[in-house]
Amino acid sequence: MPGPFEKQVSGACRKPLGLLVGCLLLVAFIGFLLASNYRSQKALRESNLESHHLGLEKQAVSIAYFFSERRYDLRMLAGSPEISAFFVNKSLGMSETYGLKASLFNVQRRFESAIAEKCLHGTPIYTRLLLMDPSGAALVDTAEPSHGGPRMPAGTYLKPARQQSEVLVADEAGRAQILLTIPCFHENRFAGRLFVWLGHAALYHLIEYEPPGCDRPTHLMTAAGQLICPPGKAPCPMASHVTPERIRRLLEKDFDVLQASFGSQGQTAMLTSSLPIRNTPLYLIACIPAREVTGTLAPVSYTHLRAHETTASI
């Protein structure tokens, strides 16, 4: 039977052991909470990233459908009775004095009617229509005489290399202009080419563009890295943060992280992503504050993002 001294020693040993077990249980519980919080933050980050991508994808699909409608308009214009009548009269050797000028006048009226009728939310879709002959001379141009004459991409577009419509990007006075073009044929012979200029204001009705006071801007851009400014915004607010070189690199990745000051919150990390618009040379580029994606575990998340960025660019 243990004596009083042995009982005191046994009780003294059990107290530190119980305290140690309690501390271990507390540490395990805290670890469980941290792991659970991390998993929740990771799931939230992935959900936010997916939501951001789906929103951008929805806009890209909407813009692609917009361009498919414009291609249809262009085919209808190229095969319109007014343009067909002009080519018939020209093939018959009719001069401007004896009716050809009247045919051109009808084409001009048809173009002006197309500009007036084709609108999106009250904004004209087309800003200019131009019909050229095979030599590159303008036959009908809705631009004002002070415009300075036709300006367009390389003269190779005057050749019927492709018989389908194409979306082009031309530079006019340092600003990107979006055009569609289609060759015109008469009796299976190349007779000219039709060009239409799209208004940026109509296009930006399809984009959830946020003004400079907001911290979630979305822009159109070209594959060359040139930003297409929203109406009345030249230069683009994003241009001071996203250079053409960085945009071109971005097209090879899923996203990039940059420091920018969109809105009134000063310099902040922005997650920048891009998405191609199907069957066009255009892309959507969008910025979102990285904190909205990464949550409170930003240091860990940035490591994950940069690792993903490296993987995506290989």
Side-chain angles (χ1 to χ4, degrees), residues 161-243:
R162 296 182 59 183
Q163 297 189 13
Q164 298 179 348
S165 58
E166 297 179 73
V167 180
L168 314 174
V169 178
D171 187 276
E172 293 187 6
R175 297 195 61 183
Q177 298 293 329
I178 304 171
L179 300 81
L180 280 86
T181 182
I182 190 170
C184 300
F185 293 88
H186 176 64
E187 295 180 348
N188 296 323
R189 297 177 60 184
F190 178 56
R193 185 170 282 273
L194 177 62
F195 292 86
V196 297
W197 276 251
L198 296 183
H200 293 180
L203 262 175
Y204 269 90
H205 279 304
L206 304 172
I207 300 173
E208 295 177 6
Y209 166 73
E210 300 290 357
C214 183
D215 57 2
R216 300 169 64 103
T218 303
H219 284 68
L220 277 171
M221 66 179 182
T222 69
Q226 185 178 14
L227 290 169
I228 298 175
C229 300
K233 305 294 180 184
C236 297
M238 192 186 287
S240 59
H241 304 289
V242 187
T243 62

Side-chain angles (χ1 to χ4, degrees), residues 8-294:
Q8 289 179 1
V9 172
S10 177
C13 290
R14 281 197 294 269
K15 287 182 180 179
L17 182 60
L19 183 61
L20 178 61
V21 171
C23 289
L24 289 176
L25 290 174
L26 180 61
V27 169
F29 181 67
I30 292 174
F32 171 77
L33 290 179
L34 288 175
S36 178
N37 182 59
Y38 173 76
R39 285 195 298 269
S40 298
Q41 288 289 335
K42 184 179 179 182
L44 179 62
R45 177 190 64 209
E46 292 174 352
S47 175
N48 289 339
L49 194 60
E50 181 69 14
S51 177
H52 173 64
H53 179 77
L54 287 176
L56 197 62
E57 193 175 57
K58 181 180 177 181
Q59 294 181 69
V61 169
S62 177
I63 295 172
Y65 179 74
F66 171 85
F67 275 101
S68 68
E69 289 183 319
R70 305 290 71 80
R71 291 175 187 271
Y72 176 80
D73 289 347
L74 202 59
R75 288 196 301 271
M76 294 300 101
L77 274 174
S80 64
E82 292 84 357
I83 291 181
S84 298
F86 166 75
F87 288 137
V88 168
N89 292 337
K90 186 176 181 181
S91 67
L92 293 174
M94 186 178 294
S95 66
E96 291 191 4
T97 306
Y98 293 97
L100 198 60
K101 195 167 186 177
S103 296
L104 290 174
F105 178 73
N106 290 335
V107 173
Q108 177 84 22
R109 291 184 60 185
R110 182 72 174 85
F111 285 0
E112 292 171 351
S113 175
I115 292 176
E117 292 174 0
K118 294 293 181 179
C119 295
L120 185 63
H121 300 297
T123 303
I125 293 175
Y126 304 124
T127 60
R128 181 185 176 193
L129 283 89
L130 169 67
L131 178 64
M132 305 185 74
D133 67 13
S135 69
L139 296 171
V140 178
D141 190 354
T142 61
E144 297 293 332
S146 59
H147 189 275
R151 298 176 186 172
M152 58 206 46
T156 53
Y157 288 102
L158 295 177
K159 300 176 183 179
R162 296 182 59 183
Q163 297 189 13
Q164 298 179 348
S165 58
E166 297 179 73
V167 180
L168 314 174
V169 178
D171 187 276
E172 293 187 6
R175 297 195 61 183
Q177 298 293 329
I178 304 171
L179 300 81
L180 280 86
T181 182
I182 190 170
C184 300
F185 293 88
H186 176 64
E187 295 180 348
N188 296 323
R189 297 177 60 184
F190 178 56
R193 185 170 282 273
L194 177 62
F195 292 86
V196 297
W197 276 251
L198 296 183
H200 293 180
L203 262 175
Y204 269 90
H205 279 304
L206 304 172
I207 300 173
E208 295 177 6
Y209 166 73
E210 300 290 357
C214 183
D215 57 2
R216 300 169 64 103
T218 303
H219 284 68
L220 277 171
M221 66 179 182
T222 69
Q226 185 178 14
L227 290 169
I228 298 175
C229 300
K233 305 294 180 184
C236 297
M238 192 186 287
S240 59
H241 304 289
V242 187
T243 62
E245 292 75 17
R246 189 151 197 169
I247 291 176
R248 285 193 290 270
R249 291 200 303 270
L250 178 62
L251 299 182
E252 302 173 357
K253 314 172 186 177
D254 291 337
F255 48 76
D256 196 3
V257 179
L258 58 90
Q259 293 292 325
S261 57
F262 300 115
S264 57
Q265 302 190 13
Q267 288 284 327
T268 184
M270 302 291 291
L271 188 65
T272 308
S273 56
S274 67
L275 201 63
I277 298 172
R278 185 170 52 90
N279 297 328
T280 77
L282 302 173
Y283 292 77
L284 272 180
I285 180 171
C287 289
I288 183 175
R291 64 180 180 275
E292 295 186 15
V293 175
T294 60

